[in-house]
Amino acid sequence: METKDALLKRQSIRAFLDRPVEPALLEQLLKTARFAPSSVNSQPWQVAVVQGGSLQRLSQRLIEALKQPAQAEVVYYPDHWFEPYRSRRRGCGLALYNALGIERRDVEKQRAAQLNNFRFFGAPVGLVLLVHRDLNPGSLVDMGIFYQSLMLLATDAGLGSCALGSIAEYPDAIREALELDDHWKVVGGLALGWPDPDAAVNGFRTDRADLTELVSWHN
């Protein structure tokens, strides 16, 4: 697949087939993603691959952790949303709930849908992405490049993925469940598997702002 095609085809998949990802394919994706660029070739990414019973236990531990206040070490969202980001976030949420057939005021079903983030949307593979806590925030840029590289490679292989920033709000639960050293900081996760073509939620796509909103030209 051409890089452009993979970028345009990639989407957040939130429903997966009950089909395992072959170990050889998963290993090949990770081997190739290693070639993502990083500042001074620091390669700051660390990946915990979670499957089977370990994935079920991690999901359960995360759902239990929701009873406690969030304690994210990598904070994704602002304390107060403002334009144009407020409208983009709202549009994304409304379109997603519409694809799921959830009414705006149905708080119970919205909550149930949010819990699926912590179940990795039922994917057979969950990835937890980590960086060493003594590295500076610039390493998160390198991690983002690795993240994107992995998702594009998955798309090229016919797999679906969904990046999960929400799980980063409960890093202690993740480190406990996976027995990780405290020096690893949780950046986020990735649900990975074969997309369910019949799931309505997988037909949901977000739009993109026009270049006039994003780019300034200086000659």
Side-chain angles (χ1 to χ4, degrees):
M1 186 180 293
E2 296 288 338
T3 304
K4 180 185 72 172
D5 295 333
L7 184 59
L8 293 174
K9 184 176 180 181
R10 188 218 63 81
Q11 66 180 101
S12 293
I13 295 297
R14 295 178 173 87
F16 296 86
L17 296 175
D18 184 16
R19 173 186 170 188
V21 178
E22 296 83 351
L25 174 57
L26 183 55
E27 183 175 354
Q28 187 58 53
L29 292 177
L30 292 165
K31 279 185 175 180
T32 307
R34 294 177 304 150
F35 288 89
S38 60
S39 178
V40 297
N41 197 34
S42 58
Q43 305 169 65
W45 42 79
Q46 187 79 12
V47 183
V49 181
V50 193
Q51 306 175 83
S54 293
L55 181 55
Q56 292 178 4
R57 288 189 292 274
L58 174 60
S59 297
Q60 185 58 43
R61 183 67 187 85
L62 283 167
I63 290 173
E64 291 171 358
L66 293 176
K67 301 171 185 176
Q68 306 298 323
Q71 47 185 239
E73 298 163 324
V74 176
V75 180
Y76 279 85
Y77 306 122
D79 292 334
H80 303 285
W81 288 95
F82 53 96
E83 297 299 341
Y85 315 107
R86 180 192 292 114
S87 293
R88 293 173 185 169
R89 173 178 179 265
R90 183 173 181 272
C92 177
L94 289 175
L96 174 58
Y97 289 143
N98 183 62
L100 290 167
I102 299 175
E103 299 291 337
R104 284 184 61 184
R105 294 180 176 82
D106 196 334
V107 177
E108 185 175 337
K109 286 187 178 180
Q110 290 177 14
R111 174 66 172 171
Q114 290 166 1
L115 285 178
N116 282 331
N117 286 273
F118 301 97
R119 298 188 181 100
F120 290 78
F121 295 107
V125 179
L127 304 181
V128 178
L129 282 75
L130 314 155
V131 296
H132 198 291
R133 69 172 61 257
D134 291 339
L135 291 172
N136 279 329
S139 293
L140 297 178
V141 177
D142 296 335
M143 173 60 90
I145 299 171
F146 176 81
Y147 231 140
Q148 172 79 329
S149 299
L150 192 53
M151 287 188 281
L152 292 181
L153 289 166
T155 300
D156 180 58
L159 292 164
S161 64
C162 187
L164 302 168
S166 54
I167 70 167
E169 295 183 345
Y170 302 95
D172 287 344
I174 293 171
R175 281 190 291 264
E176 290 170 9
L178 302 182
E179 299 181 347
L180 300 172
D181 290 337
D182 188 61
H183 61 251
W184 292 117
K185 184 163 60 175
V186 177
V187 178
L190 190 71
L192 186 68
W194 302 101
D196 182 350
D198 298 324
V201 69
N202 287 340
F204 156 67
R205 299 295 297 267
T206 52
D207 59 8
R208 293 296 185 269
D210 189 81
L211 279 188
T212 56
E213 296 183 50
L214 307 173
V215 180
S216 62
W217 304 86
H218 308 268
N219 297 319

